Amino acid sequence: MSTITDDYVQKHPTSLEYYGEAREIFPAGVTHDTRYVTPFPLYITHASGPLKWDVDGNEYVDYVSGHGALILGHSHPDIQAAVTKQISRGTHLGSNTEEELRWARAIKRLMPSVEKLRFLSSGTEATLMAFRLARAYTGKDKIVKFQDHFHGWNDYGIAGSVHPTAGVPRAVQDTMIILPIGDIAQVEGVLSRDNDIAAVILEPTGAHWGQQPFKIPEFLQELRHVTSKYGVLLIFDEVVTGFRVSPGGAQERFGVRPDLTAMAKIVAGGLPGGAVGGSGEIVDMIAFRGDPDWDRKHRVSHPGTFNANPLSAVAGATCLELIASQPINQRADSMASRLKDGLNEVLGKMEVPGHSHGISSLVHVTLGKDCDCDREVCTMDHKQIKDTMRPAVTQALKCAMLNAGVDIMGGRGFIVSATHSEQEIDLTVGAFEEALKAMRSDGII
Ligand code: PMP
């Protein structure tokens, strides 16, 4: 009887060959940490809607969804048309454009807390700028963040994240206060004792889009209340949740208005891009005031070669206009709900302990432990999840799902787009059953 690894190696000979060269060129052979897969990652040639194909001709239902950037699926015809037209007009005009205005209008229409904004090239840049704006506006240095919440790989946002890193100066780390999520008394205690805090930032549906959950929306409302009370800014990192968990993001869905919002992924319609927006007064820390002394001492400067690049602008505007005018989010949500139900049914049928949960179109699966959560916000804490979803389990699930024709995000996530149909969802549920059988046969579950 062949193992998951045997099948994986046998199905992907060309990817194995490419990985041999890649290991000589890229650290760990990959270009993004989460693309690292043991025994080797796959090489994808092209994608369309919910599907993608690898160099060995295998077809996959894709749930990486461009690391969450694609709610319209791959190569949406309107995005293709918009980008193709823009390429012939210029990829960098080195000037202001009509396209950036259209893009900003589309964001403001969906997210009313965004009175003013600036464009950047990624989520990492968006949180970096949000921190700097908060510090400049309040005149304070420290930022409170929550354990395991991910805010990109900049020196500040990476502190206390699920991706620990070397190479961050101690002085920078000391400006970040890392708290456990969900304990408002602890947050208030810190804000009341330390008068040097500029902002509190969080992923509003939990670390890594819904892990290590907390009471939503209660905790978000409590955070809004205590930050306002102590004159501290509230930053929502809506890089993943923005334009996904509702057309206006988590802030619309849960009715909490942050002072600043970091955006990326969907905001740029599948191209590189990000934005930071919010209160006009705060974002205007970037504005020139015409007072050389003030500008030199207090202004936040903001260059950036690819800010508001016109390709991202047209892709982003096209995507957000579709979200505003069509039931894109509802469609992705309803397919995700069908997926969650299907995964839970398979676990029950096969008597494998575990469950699937998730908010909106962001679905997770946990093997080894069930809980009595409502299947949206899970009640298991991160330590319990990590203990049961050990690397051996996530690796096996990732490879077994690939063997069965499905690419999941990391080792336990499914990011659903509006192009996933009943057919792909049902195929995925079947693939999950096959994967569990293979894992059982390998003695992993
Ligand atoms: N914030 C969150 C919540 C994210 O998930 C990510 C990326 N996965 C980022 C920030 C960083 O975005 P980027 O990868 O575009 O730098």
Side-chain angles (χ1 to χ4, degrees):
M1 184 91 177
S2 62
T3 65
I4 293 170
T5 305
D6 293 339
D7 288 349
Y8 189 85
V9 171
Q10 191 259 323
K11 273 184 179 196
H12 307 111
T14 315
S15 283
L16 176 58
E17 188 189 320
Y18 286 2
Y19 190 56
E21 182 185 355
R23 274 177 24 201
E24 302 294 319
I25 304 171
F26 307 119
V30 292
T31 50
H32 184 299
D33 282 359
T34 63
R35 293 180 200 150
Y36 180 73
V37 177
T38 308
F40 56 89
L42 301 186
Y43 288 78
I44 301 296
T45 55
H46 62 293
S48 176
L51 302 176
K52 62 187 188 188
W53 292 268
D54 73 10
V55 286
D56 289 296
N58 299 301
E59 179 179 287
Y60 302 94
V61 180
D62 180 33
Y63 292 96
V64 183
S65 296
H67 294 234
L70 303 169
I71 195 164
L72 302 174
H74 291 279
S75 308
H76 187 281
D78 293 3
I79 305 263
Q80 273 188 57
V83 172
T84 306
K85 181 172 162 214
Q86 186 58 40
I87 280 181
S88 66
R89 291 158 58 94
T91 60
H92 194 316
L93 303 173
S95 265
N96 308 312
T97 63
E98 290 173 341
E99 286 71 28
E100 72 193 17
L101 282 170
R102 183 182 151 207
W103 193 13
R105 255 183 253 122
I107 294 172
K108 281 170 59 61
R109 178 174 167 197
L110 292 174
M111 226 177 240
S113 75
V114 177
E115 296 166 2
K116 286 201 167 178
L117 71 144
R118 270 288 171 104
F119 290 111
L120 320 99
S121 294
S122 69
T124 293
E125 287 189 31
T127 59
L128 185 62
M129 179 51 89
F131 298 144
R132 188 173 291 172
L133 283 170
R135 288 191 294 257
Y137 181 75
T138 59
K140 300 177 174 178
D141 273 352
K142 295 183 196 160
I143 306 284
V144 170
K145 77 173 289 284
F146 295 98
Q147 183 64 47
D148 289 352
H149 282 222
F150 183 59
H151 303 299
W153 59 265
N154 67 66
D155 283 355
Y156 301 91
I158 199 78
S161 96
V162 271
H163 301 295
T165 186
V168 176
R170 161 71 37 210
V172 169
Q173 287 175 39
D174 289 347
T175 66
M176 301 300 294
I177 300 173
I178 296 139
L179 297 181
I181 193 75
D183 183 349
I184 199 65
Q186 198 166 356
V187 177
E188 179 153 17
V190 168
L191 298 194
S192 67
R193 282 192 303 274
D194 191 335
N195 193 31
D196 194 26
I197 297 172
V200 175
I201 186 168
L202 85 165
E203 289 190 69
T205 62
H208 269 255
W209 35 282
Q211 301 180 50
Q212 197 172 353
F214 51 88
K215 274 204 176 135
I216 303 174
E218 290 83 349
F219 185 66
L220 298 175
Q221 288 158 350
E222 290 165 350
L223 271 182
R224 178 64 286 178
H225 177 71
V226 299
T227 48
S228 300
K229 183 171 163 191
Y230 291 94
V232 168
L233 303 186
L234 179 61
I235 305 171
F236 272 14
D237 180 340
E238 294 240 37
V239 167
V240 171
T241 55
F243 317 106
R244 179 175 288 280
V245 304
S246 86
Q251 53 198 274
E252 175 186 281
R253 181 157 172 155
F254 304 116
V256 176
R257 186 182 171 108
D259 299 299
L260 288 173
T261 301
M263 294 161 260
K265 303 201 191 263
I266 291 175
V267 81
L271 268 75
V276 60
S279 143
E281 205 177 85
I282 302 170
V283 180
D284 262 345
M285 294 305 292
I286 302 175
F288 295 103
R289 296 211 179 164
D291 169 352
D293 192 46
W294 191 93
D295 284 354
R296 191 165 32 81
K297 285 196 195 129
H298 302 292
R299 193 185 154 257
V300 172
S301 70
H302 182 220
T305 301
F306 281 99
N307 294 349
N309 88 80
L311 292 182
S312 301
V314 295
T318 303
C319 176
L320 299 179
E321 287 162 8
L322 283 170
I323 286 174
S325 62
Q326 294 182 17
I328 305 287
N329 303 86
Q330 287 105 301
R331 184 165 169 77
D333 284 6
S334 88
M335 287 303 114
S337 172
R338 184 183 179 97
L339 176 65
K340 266 193 298 191
D341 290 348
L343 299 178
N344 280 321
E345 245 172 61
V346 168
L347 288 164
K349 187 172 86 180
M350 292 185 64
E351 296 179 356
V352 173
H355 69 290
S356 172
H357 71 93
I359 288 178
S360 182
S361 46
L362 302 164
V363 174
H364 299 276
V365 69
T366 302
L367 299 179
K369 272 207 180 104
D370 197 2
C371 71
D372 59 357
C373 74
D374 62 4
R375 304 305 187 216
E376 285 225 333
V377 183
C378 184
T379 51
M380 276 171 76
D381 68 29
H382 214 207
K383 183 171 177 330
Q384 284 176 304
I385 295 173
K386 269 185 179 163
D387 285 350
T388 183
M389 288 305 275
R390 291 167 288 111
V393 178
T394 53
Q395 279 295 336
L397 183 61
K398 172 90 182 174
C399 291
M401 289 297 278
L402 283 166
N403 286 344
V406 173
D407 194 12
I408 61 176
M409 179 69 181
R412 59 182 295 254
F414 300 74
I415 304 181
V416 182
S417 79
T419 55
H420 288 87
S421 69
E422 279 94 350
Q423 192 187 332
E424 283 85 33
I425 299 297
D426 297 348
L427 191 148
T428 304
V429 172
F432 184 60
E433 184 166 348
E434 241 182 83
L436 292 186
K437 281 183 189 153
M439 289 172 78
R440 188 170 261 167
S441 143
D442 280 7
I444 290 160
I445 51 170

